[in-house]
């Protein structure tokens, strides 16, 4: 189908509106070069705004849902590691408060999973995190962290967690499902996140 996985995309976009993207005059991705369409200015404008809001250098419009954005992010992490002779890294850390599609996206990307426990306050349990990193750090490709989490928590120790994963040559993906909660107030790259997805339909 048009959306292999992505509950919120199906929830927020009606079938009637999604059918419009199959019209040749609107279907500009991924087979057409945007430079050859009247949409170039719109896409460039949106790209620049997303770069400003995220602090990232590049924007990719290939994903049709948040979950497929997750898959694109994990594929990017995999490509980064393979390019830097870190092919052995195959573990993604997922908090038990992660967004529901994270595990499925991780499976599609062919990566293994270790769950991170949360404490009574809803933050990632640092003792559990440090134990996992001490034991598996050399094989940790990265982490997928919904920020703020599905519990509505802004993760007090996010920079510590990101820095420790970076120290082990891993990358940290920010699930942008709850991005509206920080939009305009916090720039993901300033916290150390390496990549994220945007649910533009939200």
């Amino acid at each position: 189908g048009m959306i292999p996985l992505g509950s919120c995309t199906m929830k927020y976009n009606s079938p009637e509106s999604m059918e419009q993207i199959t019209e040749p005059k609107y279907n500009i991705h991924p087979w057409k070069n945007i430079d050859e369409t009247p949409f170039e200015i719109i896409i460039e404008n949106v790209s620049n705004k997303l770069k400003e809001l995220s602090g990232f250098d590049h924007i990719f419009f290939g994903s049709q849902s948040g979950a497929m954005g997750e898959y694109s992010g994990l594929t990017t992490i995999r490509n980064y590691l393979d390019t830097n002779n870190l092919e052995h890294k195959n573990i993604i850390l997922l908090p038990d408060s992660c967004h529901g599609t994270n595990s499925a996206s991780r499976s599609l990307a062919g990566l293994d999973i270790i769950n991170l426990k949360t404490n009574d306050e809803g933050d990632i349990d640092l003792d559990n995190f440090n134990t996992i990193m001490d034991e598996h750090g050399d094989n940790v490709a990265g982490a997928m962290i919904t920020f703020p989490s599905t519990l509505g928590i802004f993760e007090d120790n996010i920079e510590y967690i990101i820095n420790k994963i970076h120290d082990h040559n891993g990358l940290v993906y920010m699930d942008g499902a709850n991005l509206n909660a920080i939009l305009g107030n916090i720039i993901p790259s300033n916290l150390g996140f390496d990549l994220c997805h945007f649910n533009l339909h939200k």
Side-chain angles (χ1 to χ4, degrees), residues 28-40 43:
I28 60 169
H29 187 87
W31 296 282
K32 285 189 179 179
N33 185 335
I34 63 168
D35 297 338
E36 300 170 0
T37 75
F39 298 98
E40 179 184 2
I43 291 176

Side-chain angles (χ1 to χ4, degrees), residues 3-187:
I3 307 168
L5 179 64
S7 58
C8 57
T9 305
M10 290 182 272
K11 180 170 58 185
Y12 284 107
N13 295 299
S14 65
E16 290 81 8
S17 64
M18 293 300 292
E19 284 173 1
Q20 297 302 311
I21 66 171
T22 63
E23 291 289 329
K25 64 181 178 179
Y26 297 130
N27 190 6
I28 60 169
H29 187 87
W31 296 282
K32 285 189 179 179
N33 185 335
I34 63 168
D35 297 338
E36 300 170 0
T37 75
F39 298 98
E40 179 184 2
I41 294 172
I42 295 171
I43 291 176
E44 183 178 0
N45 184 36
V46 172
S47 297
N48 288 336
K49 287 181 193 259
L50 295 177
K51 288 178 188 177
E52 183 179 354
L53 290 168
S54 66
F56 297 134
D57 296 325
H58 301 284
I59 303 294
F60 171 66
F61 286 98
S63 306
Q64 294 293 322
S65 72
M68 295 314 293
E70 296 166 16
Y71 175 71
S72 298
L74 291 171
T75 301
T76 300
I77 291 174
R78 179 77 274 157
N79 290 340
Y80 168 82
L81 294 171
D82 290 349
T83 301
N84 288 280
N85 298 315
L86 297 167
E87 300 92 340
H88 64 280
K89 288 181 166 289
N90 64 338
I91 295 172
I92 288 292
L93 305 179
L94 282 182
D96 57 19
S97 62
C98 70
H99 198 58
T101 52
N102 287 176
S103 183
S105 300
R106 178 274 318 164
S107 179
L108 282 173
L111 294 160
D112 295 330
I113 183 175
I114 294 180
N115 284 312
L116 299 174
K117 296 177 182 176
T118 50
N119 58 28
D120 292 340
E121 287 74 43
D123 291 311
I124 292 172
D125 186 301
L126 283 188
D127 288 338
N128 173 247
F129 170 73
N130 286 325
T131 297
I132 289 171
M133 290 303 294
D134 289 344
E135 185 175 348
H136 301 283
D138 288 344
N139 293 315
V140 169
M144 299 179 76
I145 299 177
T146 306
F147 188 83
S149 73
T150 51
L151 302 175
I153 303 298
F154 283 89
E155 194 58 62
D156 289 338
N157 300 303
I158 191 65
E159 290 174 289
Y160 172 86
I161 291 166
I162 290 173
N163 288 336
K164 186 147 192 171
I165 292 172
H166 285 169
D167 288 344
H168 287 78
N169 296 314
L171 298 180
V172 183
Y173 172 88
M174 189 186 96
D175 186 310
N178 300 330
L179 187 66
N180 284 343
I182 65 170
L183 206 60
N185 294 306
I186 299 173
I187 295 175

